[in-house]
Amino acid sequence: MKLQVKLALYNTLTKVAIILFTGLLILLSIEKISYNHIEVRLEDNKEETLRHLSTGEINNFLNRQKEYTDYNILKEEFITITPAKYNPKTSNAIKFSTESRRVDNNIQIYRILSHQFNFNGHSYLLQIGEAIESVEELKSIIKKFTLLVLFIALVLTLISDLVFTKFLLAPFYKIIDRKLIKVNDPMNFDYEKIKTTTQDFEMLDDSISSLMKKISNLFILEKQFIANVSHELLTPISIISSRLENILLHEELSEGSENKMHASLKTLNRLKSIINSLLLISKVENNQFNKADVVMLAGVIKEIHEELEDRIIEKQIKFTNHLKYIYSIQGNRPLMHTLLFNIINNSIKYNNIKGTITISDQLTDDIYSITITDTGAGMDQKQIESAFNRFEKLDTDEKESYGLGLAIVKSITAFHNIKVKIDSVKDQGTSVKLIFNRE
């Protein structure tokens, strides 16, 4: 899960928790607040009633010791005064209760104030009630409104958090994309700072740039070392080879000595081949080749087939060329020849006697690909992952392998912005796919 989503979810959940707590508090308080409001009104009505006991209709009922009952028009309020057992010591105590009463064949629920008082030497029970149906309706409306507000707040919170975190983390994702994901070559690293007002992102940007600078310097030193060592070694190797060849031509040697000389020459040639391969990799990685040639890929493959035809016949390999498209790229022709030569040469080298090599191509949405498939030794997943490492050799009986062929392939494909993929199954064969983007 992305950091942006995590931050948005965290902020949303915390705000939802606060909203829920507030909403529940409101819902739980509605009833208490409503009842308190009704009770205050009932107390005011009680005081008003007691002040008017000696006047009007109420006084007549009290004098006759009869119950006095009065409902308003909508039956929402009532007052009853009922004679009670005389108690000379009455108090100002008030009792509240919620009861249902039948009024005109309808049952109403009332909040009732009960108070006992003395008047003209008699005790009476005063009850004043107010219907709470409207309160219940109000509670229901408030509950629905609270839930609606909660849902709207949740949606707005989530959207606002996503927008804000996207804005906040935009520089971070730019740093990751431009300075890590899209970096294929430390030598072409973009040191331009990403604009941000967040100090942490500035520190991350500076740290990555500083690290890349160190890596670039190490790359330069490594390439210079390989190039210098390779160049310096070629001269003495050539001198030694020439002297050994002269000795073989002009000196009378025993058969054993001649064999040793030939073995030494073979070792020197092997060393020379390794140095030349390393020197080629170094030059490619240092961009010492131009890319001004228009390279016809089908023509290059045809040339390589002719060059390697003797080896193909020797191993009785069935070579099938299924190229359908005449496709060309702008690049370096000798390097493209070396690239395809190494792949096809490996298909021969690691193939079985009477095996097959198939070359096919595909063109889809301006993306052209060539696939070279063989039925040779194949590789397991661990070998595929390390196939492009220098001096990485397959566990086979092949003695002429130096483990640099695919390392050269990797350097040349990177130089030409070509993607290379390997699919292989141990003891079944290998398929190497080159993907050319028209751009």
Side-chain angles (χ1 to χ4, degrees):
M1 188 181 292
K2 285 188 174 181
L3 179 61
Q4 173 187 344
V5 178
K6 285 186 176 181
L7 285 174
L9 286 176
Y10 172 76
N11 290 333
T12 302
L13 289 174
T14 53
K15 291 176 183 177
V16 166
I18 295 172
I19 293 171
L20 279 174
F21 175 77
T22 306
L24 289 173
L25 188 63
I26 291 171
L27 293 175
L28 293 173
S29 303
I30 287 172
E31 186 171 353
K32 185 175 179 64
I33 293 170
S34 302
Y35 282 174
N36 283 341
H37 180 67
I38 292 174
E39 288 168 4
V40 169
R41 287 168 55 186
L42 291 174
E43 288 184 17
D44 292 340
N45 291 338
K46 180 206 78 168
E47 297 297 332
E48 186 71 19
T49 302
L50 292 178
R51 281 199 298 268
H52 294 83
L53 286 177
S54 60
T55 62
E57 185 182 359
I58 298 177
N59 189 33
N60 293 330
F61 276 88
L62 296 180
N63 289 331
R64 287 182 290 167
Q65 288 288 294
K66 292 184 177 181
E67 178 180 335
Y68 172 78
T69 303
D70 181 37
Y71 287 87
N72 67 358
I73 295 175
L74 298 177
K75 312 302 181 187
E76 291 180 348
E77 296 179 351
F78 74 86
I79 297 175
T80 62
I81 302 176
T82 308
K85 185 178 180 182
Y86 180 70
N87 183 5
K89 296 182 179 180
T90 58
S91 65
N92 292 323
I94 297 173
K95 180 182 177 183
F96 291 98
S97 61
T98 303
E99 300 175 11
S100 60
R101 291 198 173 192
R102 181 179 292 277
V103 182
D104 296 338
N105 295 324
N106 291 322
I107 296 177
Q108 286 266 42
I109 299 176
Y110 294 91
R111 185 68 173 170
I112 300 173
L113 177 150
S114 300
H115 173 63
Q116 189 167 341
F117 66 93
N118 290 338
F119 182 76
N120 292 335
H122 298 280
S123 295
Y124 300 92
L125 176 64
L126 170 66
Q127 287 188 316
I128 304 175
E130 185 171 335
I132 62 173
E133 182 180 356
S134 58
V135 175
E136 294 298 327
E137 290 178 358
L138 179 62
K139 283 168 57 180
S140 177
I141 292 170
I142 293 176
K143 285 179 181 178
K144 291 177 182 178
F145 179 74
T146 303
L147 291 174
L148 179 62
V149 170
L150 177 63
F151 176 76
I152 294 173
L154 174 63
V155 173
L156 291 177
T157 299
L158 184 59
I159 293 173
S160 62
D161 284 345
L162 282 173
V163 172
F164 176 72
T165 52
K166 184 178 182 180
F167 168 76
L168 180 67
L169 296 175
F172 173 75
Y173 289 122
K174 281 184 180 178
I175 292 170
I176 298 299
D177 183 60
R178 189 193 299 177
K179 301 205 170 185
L180 290 177
I181 296 175
K182 291 184 178 179
V183 177
N184 295 321
D185 184 3
M187 303 301 297
N188 297 321
F189 183 76
D190 183 6
Y191 288 97
E192 183 182 354
K193 294 191 71 171
I194 304 295
K195 292 181 180 180
T196 177
T197 57
T198 306
Q199 187 177 357
D200 296 331
F201 295 159
E202 287 182 354
M203 187 182 301
L204 176 64
D205 192 355
D206 293 338
S207 299
I208 293 175
S209 296
S210 176
L211 180 61
M212 280 298 178
K213 195 168 185 178
K214 292 178 182 178
I215 293 173
S216 297
N217 291 334
L218 291 174
F219 262 65
I220 291 170
L221 289 174
E222 180 193 3
K223 291 175 181 179
Q224 288 177 345
F225 175 78
I226 292 173
N228 292 337
V229 170
S230 300
H231 182 73
E232 294 299 325
L233 284 176
L234 284 176
T235 301
I237 288 173
S238 298
I239 293 172
I240 295 172
S241 296
S242 298
R243 288 180 179 177
L244 289 177
E245 288 171 358
N246 287 332
I247 292 173
L248 284 172
L249 289 173
H250 300 101
E251 300 291 337
E252 294 183 3
L253 302 172
S254 64
E255 184 178 349
S257 297
E258 283 188 10
N259 290 336
K260 290 179 181 179
M261 288 291 182
H262 284 296
S264 298
L265 281 172
K266 189 174 182 181
T267 301
L268 285 172
N269 287 332
R270 185 172 183 271
L271 182 58
K272 188 176 181 180
S273 178
I274 292 172
I275 292 172
N276 282 328
S277 297
L278 290 173
L279 193 57
L280 175 63
I281 293 172
S282 178
K283 286 181 177 180
V284 172
E285 292 178 348
N286 283 318
N287 296 320
Q288 292 179 329
F289 293 92
N290 59 44
K291 292 188 282 188
D293 304 328
V294 177
V295 185
M296 302 291 292
L297 298 176
V300 174
I301 290 175
K302 184 178 180 182
E303 288 178 12
I304 295 170
H305 179 222
E306 292 173 355
E307 292 174 21
L308 298 173
E309 190 171 11
D310 291 341
R311 294 190 59 194
I312 292 171
I313 294 172
E314 182 183 349
K315 294 190 75 169
Q316 303 178 43
I317 293 173
K318 181 182 178 182
F319 187 94
T320 306
N321 187 341
H322 280 318
L323 295 182
K324 302 183 295 249
Y325 301 96
I326 305 299
Y327 192 86
S328 61
I329 67 165
Q330 184 168 348
N332 186 281
R333 196 180 194 284
L335 289 181
M336 289 303 303
H337 184 280
T338 302
L339 165 67
L340 292 166
F341 183 92
N342 282 356
I343 297 174
I344 296 173
N345 186 49
N346 280 349
S347 297
I348 299 170
K349 186 188 299 183
Y350 298 108
N351 213 328
N352 300 319
I353 301 295
K354 296 184 179 181
T356 62
I357 296 175
T358 304
I359 301 178
S360 59
D361 62 351
Q362 187 174 5
L363 181 62
T364 308
D365 297 331
D366 284 342
I367 296 176
Y368 179 71
S369 63
I370 292 178
T371 305
I372 301 168
T373 305
D374 65 62
T375 56
M379 295 180 283
D380 56 31
Q381 188 59 39
K382 186 177 180 181
Q383 289 174 320
I384 293 173
E385 292 173 359
S386 60
F388 295 110
N389 296 342
R390 297 175 191 179
F391 302 106
E392 192 71 32
K393 296 169 62 175
L394 289 177
D395 186 17
T396 64
D397 296 331
E398 180 60 49
K399 297 179 181 180
E400 296 300 322
S401 174
Y402 308 142
L404 290 171
L406 288 179
I408 293 172
V409 167
K410 186 65 176 177
S411 297
I412 296 174
T413 53
F415 180 69
H416 286 87
N417 295 320
I418 302 168
K419 293 181 181 178
V420 57
K421 293 183 179 179
I422 296 178
D423 291 318
S424 185
V425 178
K426 191 70 174 175
D427 299 325
Q428 293 186 26
T430 301
S431 178
V432 180
K433 188 175 185 179
L434 300 174
I435 303 171
F436 304 82
N437 194 318
R438 187 173 288 278
E439 293 180 359

